[in-house]
Amino acid sequence: MIMMCDGFDTQALAYVAPSIAAEWKLSPGIFGPVFAAVLLGSMVGAFAFGYLADRFGRKRTLVLCIILFGALNIGSAYATSIQSFTLLRFLCGIGLGGAIPNVMALVSEYAPARKRATLVAITWCGFSLGAVLGGLISVPLISHFGWKSVFIVGGILPLCLAPIVVFALPESIKFLILVRGKGAEVISVLRKLNPGR
């Protein structure tokens, strides 16, 4: 679900660019730097949040990324100029890029060895599926509520996922093993993985 939201939000600009151009009286070519800003932010986020996850844990970092790209997506709907819009999309990209390596690391770590490659591939498909579904729902959203609704929906969905991640997703067991004083949490995760042992 996180990867689907990520895919939706990464591609959101492609769906709304014509509507923004018409409303703000901009040429379509001006959106090239905005697309680049999202991708640049994603690259920065992948590096930065990958490092932070090694220090503070994957789960905490992932929650931060989800909240970041959810809130900044909503913020993008309220941009008043192409400059502020570009900055918001760059910052949103940092959260989007930071979520991906942490999701993939957790899936890879917790997937059974015999199904790991399949589950990692399915998780990656979530990104593409989110982008496709975003295209399908963006058309009615824009026609009924305007382009801002695409960013608002794209921001609300991950923010709704954040509490689920907080309460239901386990922390990386590798991280817990490296942190002193987390023995009880390690045992709790292991018991959920294999209650019979």
Side-chain angles (χ1 to χ4, degrees):
M1 292 299 294
I2 295 167
M3 290 295 284
M4 286 175 67
C5 289
D6 205 302
F8 176 96
D9 294 339
T10 299
Q11 294 300 317
L13 178 60
Y15 313 134
V16 302
S19 299
I20 298 175
E23 184 177 315
W24 289 355
K25 297 178 174 54
L26 302 169
S27 65
I30 203 166
F31 286 95
V34 187
F35 282 104
V38 176
L39 298 175
L40 178 62
S42 293
M43 183 183 71
V44 171
F47 281 111
F49 285 112
Y51 171 76
L52 289 174
D54 289 337
R55 294 203 60 188
F56 301 108
R58 301 213 174 274
K59 179 177 173 176
R60 286 181 186 172
T61 305
L62 184 56
V63 170
L64 177 61
C65 290
I66 293 169
I67 292 170
L68 183 65
F69 76 74
L72 287 166
N73 244 333
I74 294 171
S76 297
Y78 297 98
T80 55
S81 66
I82 192 66
Q83 292 80 12
S84 61
F85 185 71
T86 303
L87 177 61
L88 285 164
R89 297 315 296 160
F90 169 75
L91 296 173
C92 184
I94 293 175
L96 293 167
I100 293 174
N102 287 295
V103 168
M104 300 312 296
L106 286 168
V107 170
S108 179
E109 182 175 334
Y110 278 107
R114 59 192 172 83
K115 295 181 180 178
R116 184 168 295 133
T118 301
L119 292 173
V120 167
I122 289 170
T123 305
W124 264 117
C125 288
F127 183 91
S128 301
L129 182 59
V132 170
L133 291 176
L136 294 175
I137 67 170
S138 290
V139 174
L141 279 174
I142 293 169
S143 62
H144 287 91
F145 306 106
W147 64 267
K148 294 182 178 185
S149 63
V150 175
F151 290 115
I152 291 170
V153 169
I156 289 172
L157 291 175
L159 291 176
C160 289
L161 280 177
I164 298 171
V165 173
V166 169
F167 293 108
L169 188 73
E171 177 56 272
S172 162
I173 203 159
K174 290 179 182 177
F175 174 78
L176 292 174
I177 288 169
L178 293 172
V179 177
R180 295 186 180 198
K182 297 289 183 179
E185 200 170 338
V186 170
I187 292 168
S188 174
V189 172
L190 291 174
R191 283 189 175 142
K192 288 176 185 174
L193 287 171
N194 193 340
R197 295 184 65 180

